[in-house]
Amino acid sequence: MFHYDGFIVSTMEDMRAHGRKGVSATVSMIDARNVERFTGEEKDPRGLRTGHIPGAINIPSQNFLNMPDNTFKSTDEIIKVLD
């Protein structure tokens, strides 16, 4: 289960540090790309390395959006996605 503590944005250096150490029990790293890019089945259009940081969790960004207008879901709805 995820613990919701507000919206926290990590810098690239934060991501690199977690990638070197691995993801701990106190940190959940969410990769919001589609499943195919997360698994490395689809190449990144920017030419970046395929796959994901070990231990990262894949929750595609569409799960956080209302369709069809692509606005963010409410905080309560996002918490349900993360549980």
Side-chain angles (χ1 to χ4, degrees), residues 36-70:
E36 293 78 18
R37 286 182 54 200
F38 178 80
T39 61
E41 294 173 35
E42 180 182 308
K43 291 187 179 194
D44 188 287
R46 300 165 293 176
L48 302 175
R49 186 167 49 172
T50 59
H52 61 278
I53 296 171
I57 300 164
N58 182 232
I59 305 177
S61 59
Q62 294 85 352
N63 289 290
F64 300 101
L65 302 173
N66 294 308
M67 298 298 168
D69 63 356
N70 288 327

Side-chain angles (χ1 to χ4, degrees), residues 19-39:
R20 285 190 295 270
K21 295 180 207 170
V23 179
S24 73
T26 60
V27 174
S28 296
M29 192 175 300
I30 298 172
D31 185 325
R33 296 174 300 158
N34 67 34
V35 174
E36 293 78 18
R37 286 182 54 200
F38 178 80
T39 61

Side-chain angles (χ1 to χ4, degrees), residues 62-82:
Q62 294 85 352
N63 289 290
F64 300 101
L65 302 173
N66 294 308
M67 298 298 168
D69 63 356
N70 288 327
T71 57
F72 279 102
K73 292 183 175 183
S74 70
T75 301
D76 288 341
E77 291 171 309
I78 291 173
I79 290 169
K80 286 179 186 175
V81 169
L82 297 174

